[in-house]
Amino acid sequence: MLRRLFKTVFVVLVILAIYSVASAPAASALSDVAGSNSFRRTVTLGQFTVHNNDAPETQKGWCTYDVDGVYQPWTLNDFKNSGYLILEFESAPKGALNFYWRGDRLGWAKTELVPESGSDQTTFIVDMTRISAYDIYQACDRLDIFLGYYNNNWADLVIKDAYFAEAAENQQNIATETEKRDSVSSVEVLPEDALSARPAESVYTAARVDDLSGLLREIFSPAHTELATPLLGEEQAQIMSVVAGVATQTPAKSIAVALGMAADMEPFAQVAVSMPDSVRPQLDRVADGSATPVDIVTLLLGDAGMMFAATVAPEVHKGDKGTYYTLEGIVAFTARDNLLLIASSPAELEASIGALEKQENRLALKRRFDSPNYWRMHLNALTAAAIVGEDGYDELLKAFKAPLEIEIGFESKPGSYLLSSAVNILEALADASGLVDKEPESGGGLFMAGGGKLLLALSSRLAFSADAFKAYPG
């Protein structure tokens, strides 16, 4: 039975791992508005002021800090108060034109503006809010913006004008038809609402990460990957480089997971991932059963997954809660609103949908903290002993009158991290009299809750800055 649980959990975690390193679905950064007169200029950038030292002939742009005494005409506030970059050239690009940006909180991110075949346009309206990692770059203290031109050099593509802009309030054609539809009908559903209720006799863990994409970008930041690379072998370093390049582009917004085993020794797993509006068409096709293998692999892996479309053969089914798909006859998945739902079985998937439909069907968590990120463990001693499958736990079982619940909360605050933990030890133990009405030991804030005589006690206050965790390679 344990082997079956591990197999189920493994398959779900594999799908999560694949999804976590998924590249973001392509979304054009070029606005569909009629022309630049639909915008109001906020700050003029003008001619290029900096270049990329690694590619000085092809990558040129602007930054928020002085370089070699060259004054920069814009600040981070200019960037934050503008949504668009307007580019006007003397002639049309004859080759590929890419948009790059880099900040102190995230490395390079790239978006193609013009393909290798070139373009007949001379004016480009770049909607920066639709480019991957826009929110991360808005939180930076330093920012570089570069244009990469790959048809010889910039000699044949002269900038006529470049400036930041905001949309004019009286223009109705700023949003595309898709954006208009989403702004009216898009429903944001929390992923934790898709976790179904469990009996008290169960053993399970539940977790939520509020900003999965941001977490992955932090984990696979250039500073961290450069620090880890010397510790790996050549092959492992290459794999990590590929994973890092893809993981930092994942579009996931937040994720909630619940997995464990019921009293009847039946394992279960549910995963709900909140997705951005850019992939709503694919989610809608998954929900109604019209999704193709290309839809499914690109939803999980981004455009990089298209090469695997021919090898993926999900089976479509009709259930009591609508259409769903299965992979390898084990993992079931579907979509509802902005959520991608994954479960260990069709029954678990329908339970997840039922939790979305009615609040009383949802997993009730007695939260101790209000942090958006958390991990919880619900441990029923009798079920846990049955899972282990060994005798000799009679005295341990007698010690508990209720399930043991452990919670760890994590929250990132400006300049600091808040880590909280709690255990319902007084509620869970059959006899907690030895833990009640304890007074602090004299001479400090040390709380001694154990039995016997005190032999040695040490305590100190610990304080540190978030800067202590930053890595500076070299």
Side-chain angles (χ1 to χ4, degrees):
M1 188 63 67
L2 278 176
R3 187 179 293 111
R4 182 180 178 187
L5 171 62
F6 292 149
K7 181 178 180 181
T8 303
V9 173
F10 176 78
V11 172
V12 173
L13 292 179
V14 166
I15 288 182
L16 278 174
I18 292 175
Y19 175 75
S20 296
V21 299
S23 59
S28 175
L30 298 181
S31 175
D32 298 328
V33 298
S36 57
N37 60 350
S38 300
F39 301 88
R40 185 182 69 82
R41 181 189 300 254
T42 56
V43 63
T44 299
L45 299 177
Q47 299 298 315
F48 297 130
T49 57
V50 294
H51 62 261
N52 185 352
N53 291 331
D54 295 329
E57 298 301 322
T58 57
Q59 296 180 14
K60 300 178 182 294
W62 309 267
C63 63
T64 59
Y65 49 93
D66 291 349
V67 178
D68 297 329
V70 177
Y71 169 75
Q72 303 300 320
W74 62 294
T75 66
L76 274 172
N77 284 335
D78 294 324
F79 166 68
K80 293 175 181 179
N81 296 331
S82 309
Y84 298 85
L85 170 64
I86 313 296
L87 303 169
E88 296 182 14
F89 298 103
E90 296 284 356
S91 59
K94 298 178 181 178
L97 181 66
N98 293 333
F99 176 95
Y100 299 89
W101 49 12
R102 176 182 61 178
D104 57 317
R105 297 197 180 188
L106 184 64
W108 292 102
K110 166 189 170 184
T111 298
E112 181 184 86
L113 299 181
V114 176
E116 293 183 6
S117 58
S119 170
D120 57 0
Q121 291 181 240
T122 58
T123 298
F124 296 87
I125 301 170
V126 183
D127 184 350
M128 295 185 293
T129 66
R130 297 168 65 182
I131 297 179
S132 175
Y134 171 75
D135 292 339
I136 302 296
Y137 288 117
Q138 274 223 325
C140 288
D141 296 320
R142 291 161 61 101
L143 185 65
D144 300 278
I145 291 180
F146 287 97
L147 296 179
Y149 184 52
Y150 301 98
N151 187 64
N152 296 325
N153 54 49
W154 281 98
D156 62 345
L157 189 62
V158 179
I159 285 187
K160 183 178 179 181
D161 198 3
Y163 57 93
F164 285 141
E166 62 181 2
E169 293 182 356
N170 60 349
Q171 296 293 331
Q172 299 298 318
N173 59 346
I174 293 173
T176 64
E177 290 303 315
T178 299
E179 290 171 326
K180 288 179 181 178
R181 180 205 66 190
D182 290 345
S183 66
V184 175
S185 61
S186 176
V187 177
E188 284 288 336
V189 182
L190 298 177
E192 59 267 33
D193 289 346
L195 305 181
S196 62
R198 301 294 168 184
E201 296 78 16
S202 303
V203 171
Y204 63 84
T205 183
R208 185 187 192 277
V209 177
D210 184 53
D211 181 12
L212 179 60
S213 60
L215 176 63
L216 291 173
R217 292 188 186 104
E218 177 67 21
I219 292 174
F220 293 104
S221 66
H224 292 162
T225 54
E226 290 174 13
L227 187 66
T229 298
L231 305 177
L232 303 174
E234 182 177 353
E235 183 177 353
Q236 289 84 357
Q238 292 176 350
I239 293 175
M240 188 185 73
S241 177
V242 173
V243 171
V246 178
T248 53
Q249 301 299 317
T250 181
K253 298 173 66 176
S254 55
I255 183 172
V257 180
L259 56 91
M261 184 172 286
D264 59 2
M265 300 296 102
E266 188 68 25
F268 58 83
Q270 292 176 335
V271 179
V273 185
S274 175
M275 306 286 279
D277 287 341
S278 58
V279 298
R280 282 299 290 269
Q282 290 142 289
L283 287 172
D284 291 342
R285 287 193 289 272
V286 171
D288 64 23
S290 63
T292 65
V294 172
D295 287 326
I296 293 170
V297 296
T298 55
L299 185 61
L300 293 171
L301 299 173
D303 287 345
M306 292 186 66
M307 66 181 72
F308 303 110
T311 64
V312 175
E315 299 179 12
V316 61
H317 306 270
K318 273 288 188 181
D320 294 338
K321 297 289 186 180
T323 303
Y324 67 92
Y325 295 81
T326 57
L327 285 175
E328 302 297 329
I330 301 176
V331 176
F333 65 94
T334 189
R336 287 295 185 275
D337 296 313
N338 60 302
L339 297 182
L340 176 66
L341 306 177
I342 306 171
S344 54
S345 68
E348 284 297 325
L349 187 64
E350 292 194 348
S352 182
I353 297 172
L356 289 174
E357 294 173 343
K358 293 183 179 181
Q359 185 172 357
E360 56 264 32
N361 295 335
R362 297 172 188 170
L363 182 63
L365 298 177
K366 187 179 179 181
R367 294 290 312 277
R368 265 74 176 180
F369 312 107
D370 58 1
S371 56
N373 309 297
Y374 61 82
W375 173 86
R376 286 182 60 89
M377 169 65 78
H378 176 95
L379 186 63
N380 179 277
L382 187 61
T383 304
I387 293 174
V388 174
E390 297 181 6
D391 298 328
Y393 291 95
D394 294 342
E395 292 301 318
L396 179 63
L397 295 178
K398 293 178 182 178
F400 290 92
K401 65 178 180 180
L404 185 68
E405 294 186 345
I406 305 169
E407 177 176 342
I408 297 177
F410 177 83
E411 186 173 1
S412 176
K413 294 180 176 291
S416 65
Y417 298 96
L418 177 62
L419 183 66
S420 309
S421 63
V423 183
N424 68 332
I425 194 71
L426 296 179
E427 299 174 2
L429 290 181
D431 182 10
S433 58
L435 303 177
V436 180
D437 299 329
K438 284 288 184 181
E439 295 295 333
E441 291 290 323
S442 60
L446 184 64
F447 181 80
M448 302 300 295
K453 295 182 178 180
L454 180 63
L455 175 63
L456 177 67
L458 297 174
S459 71
S460 66
R461 297 185 182 277
L462 177 64
F464 51 83
S465 166
D467 293 338
F469 292 98
K470 290 184 178 179
Y472 297 91

